[in-house]
Structures are given as structure tokens and as C-alpha cells.
Amino acid sequence: MYLRPTFEEIKDSANRIRVYIHRTPILHSHNIDRIFSAEIYFKCENFQKVGSFKPRGAINAILQLSRESLKQGVATHSSGNFAQAIAYSAQILNIRATIIMPRTSPKVKVEAVRSYGADIIFCEPTLEARESTLNDFVFKSGATFVHPYNDYNVIAGQGTAALELLENNPALDIIIAPIGGGGLISGTAIASKAMNPSIEVIAGEPKRADDAYRSIEAGYIIPSVNPQTIADGLLTSLGDMTFPIIQSLVNRILTVSEDAIISAMKLIFTRLKIIVEPSSAVSLATLLEYPEHFIDKKVGIILSGGNVDIDNLPWYRKTN
Amino acid sequence: MYLRPTFEEIKDSANRIRVYIHRTPILHSHNIDRIFSAEIYFKCENFQKVGSFKPRGAINAILQLSRESLKQGVATHSSGNFAQAIAYSAQILNIRATIIMPRTSPKVKVEAVRSYGADIIFCEPTLEARESTLNDFVFKSGATFVHPYNDYNVIAGQGTAALELLENNPALDIIIAPIGGGGLISGTAIASKAMNPSIEVIAGEPKRADDAYRSIEAGYIIPSVNPQTIADGLLTSLGDMTFPIIQSLVNRILTVSEDAIISAMKLIFTRLKIIVEPSSAVSLATLLEYPEHFIDKKVGIILSGGNVDIDNLPWYRKTN
């Protein structure tokens, strides 16, 4: 089966976006290694521009638009990290960006998008309203819609994080990334398998938003319906571009409890001394849930982002 | 006036301890620069071994003991980062360490010290009890007491963090470190003034533990009496070795409110995406309290450590 993007496209993407993104550090902790009897390397995309891996794909997609398209600007619908990524990318590339956001979005996220100079159109907080508002805007303005994950160029951009990790640590036995819409894990899987065919690619998914796990079991995409998890970056459903990549290249999807996500997040805070968002902690949570699988293995983990509300950390909440 | 340690001693210390410590990263954030209209570089000792700068001085002091002294082991009294630093240093240098800790020390700190294989002797939670218990133990065992800050070799070791910062960023206008007993700021001042005589050296101190500020005003050491601040690494009084260095080389001591410490800590969490303890945030808090002083300046900040109880972050507490 011929999958896109290809590894060549990911390598080209890495060259294309290099000047606009950080090559993020890879951290390692003897304490965490001892806890899991494994050798674990953390690729820290929480230190990426705008605090998550998302600008890799956003910039890569925008840089491949024609000059005419660039003049009309870009648009997307998101209340999370992809909104900030598109806004940031448009700012540094000097084009217009319009973000469709639910009118219930937290003020801090609205302000973040606005701080990069993007226009915001508010809509009702439903997927239908987001899509119809976006379609209306794109039709009237001629802006290009950049999808958060169901886009070859976005997937190729997201794969550059794993590319960098494996350039530094080629001998990994396992690589883990979280799965939501599947953009990050798809790019990760393509890059990793190309660079190290024997590597095991694992997707971490919250049990409370396990639509990807169920989709792979079923053999077709099962939409995510109103999932309730603290991993708020992983609420979306797979796309028709990410699904076949995951079917072909991801060795297993391991699901994790909310408690495991919180424990993993606290381990990362206290041992690595860095801030990550709950979605980032899902990868390390797979080691807490399935410890025997990782013993004596060299494990690479992509920490996807660090945009968490520090006034509302999950372990201070009365209920999960 | 002839001050010790000399800059030569600090450079020798850097070579002596190099293989045992991390050369910690220096972080920079355009967002934080914009907030303060300054160019700010953060030396991240929260990523140092055991989560603070303290092993620099501890290892440096231990490495200069005679073979006979090393056989008898080392001892100190501390419930904080210096306890862990001595325990860690003794472990990697394969000697015995005994830590006198108040019996009221948080369990997590006791466990941390124990995890490095140190012996612990508990005492009543008063300075008198700590000192008398330590003196008894040293008398009976022949162990060498390593003072947390009132020791030339400890001060010289602590100065290596500023040495590294200025090696990477020689053109700083200002360097800031927090002040408690004065070990870190003393080493910082000696290294900084030697490498860049025009640099301004600023000590950040909590208003609620402002004994250093008052001591410099008075011209003699005023002890710190039962201070109440969230910056729990800065409760101690100056020593007779640190006081003259601070008098001679620290340009000013800026005091900061508890609110400014919390705001600075939150800025570091959200913008740099790293975990620091309240004592670390005191340096950036000086920019919040005295913003006009730093406009258009190149500022180096030593983030002293990252050992904070994430289950009891100060902005979640009912009272400060």
C-alpha cells in the first residue's frame, strides 16, 4: 500500500520549516529510568514555538500554498493548540489568518490567538457550527482552510519531531506519541519506520476518548462522541488520511486511565522539572499502565505540548 | 580589600566539579522580553543534579577534603536542597554522609535524602537543636561539617553557575540571584565582576525575609528571626564569610512581595514551561517590582532550583 506523506516528504518538510521552528531538546532522567527499568528519552515539544508541536505542520502546509492563495490568507477552526499554531505561522509568514472559535473558548486561548494578530470569528460550540461557519467564511473570502490533521502537509510537518528524535537517538526500540485526530502519530510512524524498520510505534490514548482504539479494532473510523477526558488535545476523531497510516504502521494503541495521565504528568513535573499539558502525559502514562511491556527497552516519547492552565491543574480539581 | 574565594578559585572549582554536574541550559523567551522591554537570559539550575545549584558547592567542598577526612565522612544540617546536595555528592564520591534534619521535615524531603543513601539523624525543629546535634555527631564521628554557605569552597562552587552564564552571554548589563545565606549571590558576584567589571549585581530578597537588606543598611549582620515567606530556600541569615563579599560586590538588594514572587513563578511556568521553586522566582520578581530599572537592559537570571511541592503550589493556598 502506498501511503502519503512519504518519508521523503517529511525530510523535505524538515528542511522547509527549519528556520521557523525550534529543534527542541531531548531530556532524560535517571530517576524516571529507574522507576520503569527502561531508558527513556523525552522529545520536548512543550518548548516548541507557541508551546506545542502544531506549528511544524501548520507552517509546512502554509509554505506550500501558491502565491495567489497566500494573498487570500488561511483559516481553520480550533480552540486549542492548532489555532495558535496557524495564527503564529501566519504572523511570521506575513499573511492573514482567520480562526473560527467556539464562543465558549477560554479567554486565555482567545487572547493567545489574538496576540499573534489573527482574526477571530466566534460560533456556537458545536462541530456543525464550527464547520458551517468555516465553510461560509472560506467561500466568501477565498481563504485556504488548513485542517488540523487530515492534510498530508500537516502530517508531514508533524513527523519532523520524530525525525529529530531518531536523528539523535537512532537505536530506540519503541516510540510513543499521543493520538487524537492522528496527525502527530501518523507523521511519527512514517518517519520512525523509515529510519528504523524494527521500531515499535505505540499510540497512547485516554480510555475516556478511545475512539482510535475502537476504530482500529472495527476496521473503520468510529467518531469520537462527546468524550470527557483531561487530555483536552485528544478529543477529535481520526480522519480518512490518518486512519490508513495508523492501520498500517502503528503497532498498538494503548489506552490509559485519567489517574494514570495525572500520575504521569506529576512525574514529568517533578522529575524532568518541565510543564506539560495532560495530552502530553498520555505517552508516559502507557508505561504506568503496561509496565512489563517496556522493561529494558529504549523508549522515545514525544511530549506534545505544554499549554496547561496552571490555575486549574487536574490534581487540584474536586472531580475529574 | 582581599576577598575569598578569588575568581581563580571559582575557575578551579569549575574544572574540579565539571564531570559531576550538568552544564545547565540557558533559556530565553521573546514573550518575557516583551513584557519587561528587556533581554532576559535564564540559567536553569532547576535542571541541575538533585534539582538545584547546591551540588556545585557541596561537591567542590568535599573534593578538597584530605583522604583521611573523606574516610570519616561528611555531615551537615539542612532540611532543604543542601541536604540532598550533600547526600548526592557523598553517594557519587562514595563516602558517608550524615544529615541532621528537624523531625518535622516533610516526608518527601526525608525520602529524597535517604534515596541517596545518606544517614539521617532527627532533632528538634530549632536552630539550637540542629547545631548541638550536629556538633555532638561531628565530635563523636570525626565527620567533617560542610556548611551550606559559610565556606569558601562552597561559595566558589556556587559561583560556577554565573561563570557558565557569562561564558555564554558575556555582554550582560545585570545579573540577578536570590539571597538567603548568601552563598549563591557571593559566588555569583565574584565571578561576574571578574568577567565583566561593569556588570550590575543584584540580589533578590523576599520582603518578609529581608534580613540581608537590613544587614547591609546597618553595616553588620542582623539575624533572620522566624521569617514567613513562600521562598523557603531563603530563610537563613548571612554568614561572616558571605557578608563582606555582599557588602563589597553586590550593587543592590531589591526586596519583593509574596505576590510578586507568585506572579514571577507563574510567568516562568507558563512562558518558559519549566518548574521552579518560589526561591528561584525571587530574581524575576525584582523586575515586576522595579520594572523601570531593567528597561532595555540585558539581564541574566540564575534560577536556583525546581524542588517545589506540586501538590501545594502557592497560588492554590488559602493564605500566604
Side-chain angles (χ1 to χ4, degrees):
Chain A
M1 185 176 172
Y2 180 72
L3 290 172
R4 284 200 59 198
T6 64
F7 181 50
E8 288 302 316
E9 288 176 297
I10 293 176
K11 286 192 288 186
D12 290 346
S13 302
N15 290 327
R16 190 178 295 119
I17 68 178
R18 179 161 291 136
V19 297
Y20 302 107
I21 61 152
H22 293 306
R23 186 174 181 113
T24 53
I26 297 163
L27 293 185
H28 176 238
S29 156
H30 291 290
N31 275 314
I32 293 181
D33 281 3
R34 261 195 296 272
I35 292 169
F36 295 104
S37 298
E39 199 178 316
I40 309 173
Y41 297 92
F42 295 89
K43 176 70 172 169
C44 293
E45 290 294 298
N46 59 320
F47 292 135
Q48 189 50 271
K49 298 278 185 187
V50 309
S52 88
F53 70 94
K54 298 270 184 180
R56 294 178 181 269
I59 293 174
N60 192 47
I62 294 174
L63 284 174
Q64 286 171 90
L65 297 178
S66 68
R67 191 175 302 184
E68 285 66 39
S69 296
L70 288 173
K71 276 187 203 152
Q72 313 297 320
V74 292
T76 198
H77 60 78
S78 165
S79 60
N81 285 331
F82 197 71
Q84 288 189 52
I86 287 288
Y88 166 76
S89 306
Q91 184 183 51
I92 60 171
L93 300 174
N94 204 22
I95 65 167
R96 284 183 57 196
T98 304
I99 316 291
I100 317 299
M101 299 185 83
R103 58 175 176 68
T104 52
S105 301
K107 200 180 157 202
V108 58
K109 299 202 170 188
V110 175
E111 291 304 319
V113 168
R114 226 192 285 278
S115 75
Y116 296 113
D119 297 325
I120 298 174
I121 298 176
F122 291 102
C123 68
E124 292 305 303
T126 65
L127 183 60
E128 293 71 29
R130 283 161 64 154
E131 290 182 344
S132 68
T133 308
L134 178 81
N135 288 340
D136 284 355
F137 175 75
V138 165
F139 181 75
K140 286 178 194 156
S141 67
T144 301
F145 170 38
V146 183
H147 193 283
Y149 52 88
N150 209 38
D151 177 313
Y152 296 133
N153 296 319
V154 171
I155 296 169
Q158 315 307 27
T160 60
L163 176 73
E164 291 175 8
L165 175 55
L166 281 154
E167 278 176 355
N168 284 67
N169 299 72
L172 295 179
D173 300 305
I174 299 173
I175 190 165
I176 317 174
I179 189 165
L184 178 63
I185 192 72
S186 294
T188 298
I190 292 165
S192 303
K193 292 285 189 186
M195 295 173 81
N196 176 356
S198 68
I199 202 169
E200 181 179 19
V201 178
I202 293 179
E205 187 173 42
K207 286 188 198 294
R208 289 200 188 171
D210 67 344
D211 56 290
Y213 178 81
R214 290 183 291 116
S215 296
I216 294 299
E217 290 288 303
Y220 55 89
I221 298 173
I222 298 174
S224 183
V225 180
N226 195 26
Q228 302 291 326
T229 168
I230 58 166
D232 57 358
L234 308 178
L235 304 179
T236 44
S237 310
L238 298 180
D240 60 355
M241 298 187 192
T242 56
F243 182 68
I245 300 171
I246 295 160
Q247 271 191 314
S248 305
L249 297 180
V250 172
N251 295 88
R252 60 184 78 210
I253 299 177
L254 295 180
T255 61
V256 298
S257 69
E258 301 293 293
D259 282 350
I261 298 171
I262 290 175
S263 297
M265 196 172 163
K266 291 174 88 167
L267 264 180
I268 293 167
F269 273 49
T270 55
R271 304 296 174 142
L272 293 181
K273 308 292 183 198
I274 63 173
I275 305 277
V276 293
E277 58 192 69
S279 306
S280 280
V282 166
S283 300
L284 185 62
T286 65
L287 280 83
L288 286 167
E289 292 271 16
Y290 311 91
E292 69 292 338
H293 189 78
F294 299 92
I295 291 172
D296 292 338
K297 295 286 197 283
K298 278 199 174 66
V299 182
I301 283 179
I302 302 192
L303 294 176
S304 48
N307 294 326
V308 58
D309 180 359
I310 60 165
D311 287 316
N312 191 24
L313 290 167
W315 54 90
Y316 288 96
R317 293 179 205 165
K318 285 279 186 324
T319 56
N320 293 328
Chain B
M1 183 177 175
Y2 180 72
L3 291 171
R4 282 200 60 199
T6 63
F7 181 50
E8 288 303 316
E9 287 177 297
I10 293 176
K11 285 191 288 187
D12 290 347
S13 302
N15 290 325
R16 190 178 295 118
I17 67 178
R18 180 160 291 136
V19 298
Y20 302 107
I21 61 152
H22 293 306
R23 186 174 182 116
T24 52
I26 297 165
L27 293 184
H28 176 237
S29 155
H30 290 291
N31 275 314
I32 293 180
D33 281 4
R34 261 195 297 273
I35 291 169
F36 295 104
S37 298
E39 199 178 316
I40 308 171
Y41 297 91
F42 296 90
K43 176 69 172 168
C44 293
E45 289 295 297
N46 58 320
F47 293 135
Q48 189 51 268
K49 299 277 186 189
V50 308
S52 88
F53 69 94
K54 299 271 184 179
R56 293 178 180 269
I59 293 174
N60 192 47
I62 294 174
L63 284 174
Q64 286 171 89
L65 297 179
S66 68
R67 193 176 301 186
E68 285 64 40
S69 296
L70 288 173
K71 277 186 203 153
Q72 312 298 318
V74 292
T76 197
H77 58 78
S78 165
S79 59
N81 286 331
F82 197 70
Q84 288 188 52
I86 286 288
Y88 166 77
S89 306
Q91 184 183 50
I92 60 170
L93 299 173
N94 203 22
I95 64 167
R96 284 183 57 194
T98 303
I99 316 292
I100 316 300
M101 299 184 82
R103 58 172 177 70
T104 52
S105 302
K107 201 180 155 202
V108 57
K109 299 202 172 187
V110 175
E111 291 305 318
V113 168
R114 226 191 285 276
S115 75
Y116 296 112
D119 296 325
I120 299 174
I121 299 176
F122 291 102
C123 68
E124 292 304 302
T126 65
L127 183 59
E128 292 71 30
R130 283 160 64 154
E131 289 181 346
S132 68
T133 308
L134 178 81
N135 288 340
D136 284 355
F137 175 75
V138 165
F139 181 74
K140 287 177 194 156
S141 67
T144 302
F145 170 38
V146 184
H147 193 283
Y149 52 88
N150 210 38
D151 178 313
Y152 296 132
N153 296 319
V154 171
I155 295 170
Q158 314 308 27
T160 59
L163 176 74
E164 291 175 8
L165 175 55
L166 280 153
E167 279 176 354
N168 284 66
N169 300 71
L172 294 179
D173 300 305
I174 299 173
I175 189 166
I176 316 174
I179 188 165
L184 178 63
I185 192 73
S186 293
T188 299
I190 293 164
S192 303
K193 292 285 189 186
M195 295 173 79
N196 175 356
S198 68
I199 201 168
E200 183 179 18
V201 177
I202 293 179
E205 186 173 43
K207 285 188 199 296
R208 289 198 188 171
D210 67 345
D211 57 290
Y213 177 81
R214 289 182 294 116
S215 297
I216 294 299
E217 289 289 303
Y220 55 88
I221 298 174
I222 299 174
S224 184
V225 180
N226 195 24
Q228 301 292 325
T229 168
I230 57 167
D232 57 359
L234 308 178
L235 305 179
T236 44
S237 309
L238 298 180
D240 60 356
M241 298 188 194
T242 56
F243 182 69
I245 300 171
I246 294 159
Q247 270 191 314
S248 304
L249 297 181
V250 172
N251 295 86
R252 60 186 78 209
I253 299 177
L254 296 179
T255 61
V256 299
S257 69
E258 300 293 293
D259 282 350
I261 299 171
I262 291 176
S263 296
M265 196 172 163
K266 292 174 87 166
L267 264 180
I268 293 166
F269 273 48
T270 55
R271 303 297 173 143
L272 294 182
K273 308 291 184 197
I274 63 173
I275 304 277
V276 294
E277 58 193 69
S279 306
S280 278
V282 165
S283 299
L284 185 61
T286 64
L287 280 83
L288 286 167
E289 292 271 17
Y290 311 91
E292 68 293 337
H293 189 77
F294 299 92
I295 290 173
D296 292 337
K297 294 287 198 283
K298 277 198 175 66
V299 182
I301 283 179
I302 301 192
L303 295 176
S304 48
N307 293 327
V308 58
D309 180 359
I310 60 165
D311 288 315
N312 191 24
L313 289 167
W315 53 90
Y316 288 96
R317 292 179 205 165
K318 284 278 185 325
T319 55
N320 292 327

